[in-house]
């Protein structure tokens, strides 16, 4: 990945996680890890976001919420599943209310396993997600040019 | 009568990392009533006891909530030990106290940050989390994990701390304590903080009792209720008194947490001075048979663990009553009559942990 020309904005939603991964996502924004130095900003508005960080599993109740946020995000967009819960359901996979990982609801580009994920891994994953975002942006451009 | 509007708050919103949904009924800028609806994070992990055996369930219990993770694990173990009448070695009890208090400090620092963020004091938020990272380093050094400790186990703890480590942890904690003083001084004295918190979200002493508030919420209303006084782990062997404040407002609840920080530091020093030598766990044989209630004080208040075993590997019933659940009715009371802009601050003062509440 070369450097990204624009500042990617992220949005975070907590599926049904245990909080462990959420606070690590927040920890990435605070002074020790500080992903803002890459120009990454956390936003609460899906229409401003390029990267969707989602922690926790998908259940009946939040399925629609997750899909809603995803659909509101403008293209190109990438989704990163954070934590083993979001990746596969993890320790909660056998719970009756859990449908599974995030990919049961929306397409996922990057999987970041760990329970709880370490902030280093999240940063690594987000940087990988930016690579995907760049490719998607390029693909979108060629698609528009040929249309 | 002014016209009424209903403003939905959540589930996805920037104030809390967790989804909670409130329907706020407004009359102009005033909140007339708040109707909470929950269920976005329900996983149903109490039913998981049918699939996982009672020893494995410790790890599930730790993942009820990632913030008070260790104390959840500890409470679960205490409940099982109660059923099976296991005598936990002294050293393990002291280690549980030390880790328990470390996770309380981490939770309170985290909360102070979120609270500062709630009223828009961004630099204070960053500063709290910077101090907290120092503590997380110590936690990682002694347990191996940053937020999920994984050290609680039925019959004791999974790791020991050498005396050298204990000494180092104590030295580091003293530094963290000094850094926290700078932090809590701002919460205590800053006029902009006071303007957002004093007199806001009042919960009178009577209401706190009738509505069954727990933890810092009830202690901020002048009631000394703290489950650690039951003397589980090593709390019976060190000297301390519950922190109470009588202001009944957001400021009082914030002060309770600030003062509890130092209380926790002090408890750790005391426990470190008294910790006896010996083994840190006992072998567990047989299966749980019977039922037991364990009541433990978490950073957010009293948690109740109920377990029922029927002499098989899997428990028959497992139930948790978490502190946030008890604090939701008081929250609804506090929100009545407040201004819309104060809602995030008031919601934060009960330190809601939705993931615990819905499991
Ligand atoms: S992956 Fe582990 S730490 Fe993260 S939300 Fe799931 S259970 Fe919690």
């Amino acid at each position: 990945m070369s450097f990204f020309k624009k500042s990617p904005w992220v949005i975070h939603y907590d599926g049904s996680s245990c909080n462990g991964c959420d606070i690590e996502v927040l920890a990435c924004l605070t002074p020790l890890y500080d992903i803002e130095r890459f120009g990454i900003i956390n936003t609460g508005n899906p229409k401003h976001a390029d990267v969707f960080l989602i922690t926790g599993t998908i259940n009946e109740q939040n399925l629609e919420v997750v899909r809603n946020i995803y659909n509101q995000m403008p293209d190109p967009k990438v989704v990163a599943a954070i934590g083993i819960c979001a990746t596969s359901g993890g320790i909660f996979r056998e719970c009756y209310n859990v449908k599974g990982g995030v990919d049961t609801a929306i397409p996922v580009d990057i999987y970041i396993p760990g329970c709880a994920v370490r902030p280093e891994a999240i940063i690594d994953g987000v940087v990988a997600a930016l690579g995907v975002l760049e490719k998607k942006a390029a693909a979108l451009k060629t698609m528009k040019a040929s249309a | 009568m002014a016209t009424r509007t209903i403003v939905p708050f959540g589930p996805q919103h920037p104030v809390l990392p967790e989804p909670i949904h409130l329907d706020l009924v407004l009359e102009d800028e005033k909140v007339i009533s708040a109707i909470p609806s929950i269920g976005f994070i329900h996983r149903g992990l109490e039913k998981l006891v049918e699939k996982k055996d009672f020893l494995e369930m410790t790890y599930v219990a730790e993942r009820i909530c990632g913030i008070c993770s260790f104390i959840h694990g500890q409470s679960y173990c205490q409940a099982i030990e109660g059923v099976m009448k296991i005598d936990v070695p002294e050293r393990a009890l002291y280690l549980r106290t030390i880790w328990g208090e470390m996770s309380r400090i981490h939770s309170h620092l985290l909360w102070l940050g979120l609270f500062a963020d709630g009223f828009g004091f961004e630099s204070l938020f960053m500063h709290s989390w910077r101090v907290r990272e120092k503590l997380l380093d110590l936690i990682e050094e002694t347990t191996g994990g940053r937020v999920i400790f994984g050290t609680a186990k039925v019959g004791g703890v999974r790791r020991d701390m050498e005396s050298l480590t204990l000494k180092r942890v104590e030295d580091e904690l003293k530094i963290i304590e000094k850094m926290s003083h700078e932090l809590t001084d701002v919460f205590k004295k800053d006029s902009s903080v006071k303007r957002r918190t004093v007199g806001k979200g009042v919960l009178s002493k009577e209401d706190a009792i009738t509505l069954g508030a727990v933890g810092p919420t009830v202690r901020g209303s002048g009631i000394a209720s703290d489950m650690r006084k039951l003397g589980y782990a090593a709390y019976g062997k060190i000297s301390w008194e519950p922190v109470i404040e009588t202001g009944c407002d957001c400021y009082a609840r914030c002060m309770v947490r600030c003062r509890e920080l130092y209380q926790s530091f002090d408890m750790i020093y005391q426990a470190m001075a008294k910790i006896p030598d010996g083994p840190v766990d006992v072998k567990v044989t047989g299966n749980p048979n019977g039922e037991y209630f364990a009541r433990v004080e978490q950073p957010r208040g009293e948690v109740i663990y109920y377990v029922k075993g029927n002499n098989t590997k899997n428990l028959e019933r497992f139930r948790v009553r978490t502190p946030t659940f008890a604090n939701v009715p008081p929250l609804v009371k506090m929100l009545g009559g407040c201004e819309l802009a104060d809602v995030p601050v008031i919601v934060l003062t009960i330190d809601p942990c939705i993931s615990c509440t819905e499991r």
Side-chain angles (χ1 to χ4, degrees), chain A residues 11 13-14 16-19 23-24 26 31-33 44 59 61-62 92 94-97 115-116 118-119, chain B residues 12 17-19 39-45 47 51-52 63 65-66 110 126 129 133 140 146-147 353 355:
Chain A
I11 182 167
Y13 182 73
D14 167 4
S16 57
S17 80
C18 80
N19 267 341
I23 53 181
E24 293 296 50
L26 274 186
L32 189 69
Y33 297 100
N59 64 23
Q61 180 94 314
N62 69 23
F92 307 126
E94 290 172 317
C95 291
Y96 69 88
N97 199 32
C115 182
R118 297 189 54 86
Chain B
Q12 189 267 333
E18 291 181 284
F40 293 95
I41 331 192
H42 179 62
R43 288 152 285 178
L45 49 81
K47 206 168 156 54
K51 301 204 175 106
K52 299 202 189 278
R63 282 161 181 83
C65 165
L110 177 138
M126 293 296 171
W129 282 57
E133 284 291 342
E140 186 173 356
R146 276 167 54 92
V147 287
C353 175
S355 150

Side-chain angles (χ1 to χ4, degrees), chain B residues 153-225:
Chain B
K153 91 174 199 190
V154 178
V157 289
R158 286 180 56 227
R159 275 175 185 241
D160 199 355
M161 278 196 231
E162 286 176 24
S163 55
L164 265 180
T165 318
L166 280 176
K167 180 82 193 80
R168 218 188 83 75
V169 170
E170 188 174 352
D171 291 345
E172 284 287 317
L173 281 176
K174 294 222 161 103
I175 300 175
I176 300 173
E177 186 176 356
K178 220 168 116 223
M179 292 169 83
S180 327
H181 271 292
E182 293 167 11
L183 200 73
T184 49
D185 274 355
V186 181
F187 282 97
K188 233 175 252 171
K189 298 183 191 142
D190 193 274
S191 63
S192 61
V193 175
K194 279 192 176 166
R195 199 163 302 159
R196 290 300 303 273
T197 53
V198 175
K200 300 280 172 2
V202 175
L203 180 74
S204 69
K205 196 169 175 175
E206 293 70 38
D207 284 338
I209 297 174
T210 354
L211 298 171
V214 295
T217 311
V218 73
R219 292 198 284 278
S221 292
I223 299 159
S225 141

Side-chain angles (χ1 to χ4, degrees), chain A residues 92 95, chain B residues 43-49 57 60 63-64 359:
Chain A
F92 307 126
C95 291
Chain B
R43 288 152 285 178
L45 49 81
E46 284 160 342
K47 206 168 156 54
L48 218 50
V49 288
M57 273 308 284
V60 178
R63 282 161 181 83
I64 287 181
R359 298 178 293 281

